[in-house]
Amino acid sequence: MGDDKPPHSLEELEARLRKARERGKPGSSGGPKVSDTSGHALGAAFRIGVELLAAMIVGVGSGYLLDRWLGTAPWGLVLMFF
């Protein structure tokens, strides 16, 4: 109640918003820079795990099918596993 300042004009508010938006743009020099490498590393780790699992499934499956077709069980499965 003791502070009777008039409200800011719309032009001043717009200038402050523009300045804040410029600071938030990637590559701008103002403001702190936050790099989100933990999300990128987690995504890469998840992708590696999925690719390894898919390779194991394809290798074991094709070795099993090869064994059934040629009657060489379990050598095709063991060979394709590795």
Side-chain angles (χ1 to χ4, degrees):
M1 293 251 167
D3 192 13
D4 292 334
K5 288 183 180 179
H8 295 291
S9 68
L10 289 178
E11 291 84 18
E12 185 179 340
L13 179 61
E14 186 175 337
R16 290 175 60 201
L17 282 172
R18 193 175 319 122
K19 186 178 176 183
R21 285 184 186 127
E22 287 296 320
R23 275 194 314 228
K25 284 185 180 177
S28 66
S29 61
K33 295 186 180 193
V34 178
S35 71
D36 187 20
T37 58
S38 64
H40 180 69
L42 184 61
F46 183 72
R47 186 176 133 211
I48 289 170
V50 167
E51 287 180 5
L52 285 173
L53 182 64
M56 292 292 296
I57 290 171
V58 168
V60 168
S62 61
Y64 177 75
L65 291 175
L66 191 66
D67 277 339
R68 290 192 46 126
W69 182 50
L70 297 174
T72 59
W75 300 111
L77 183 116
V78 171
L79 182 69
M80 296 299 274
F81 177 79
F82 291 109

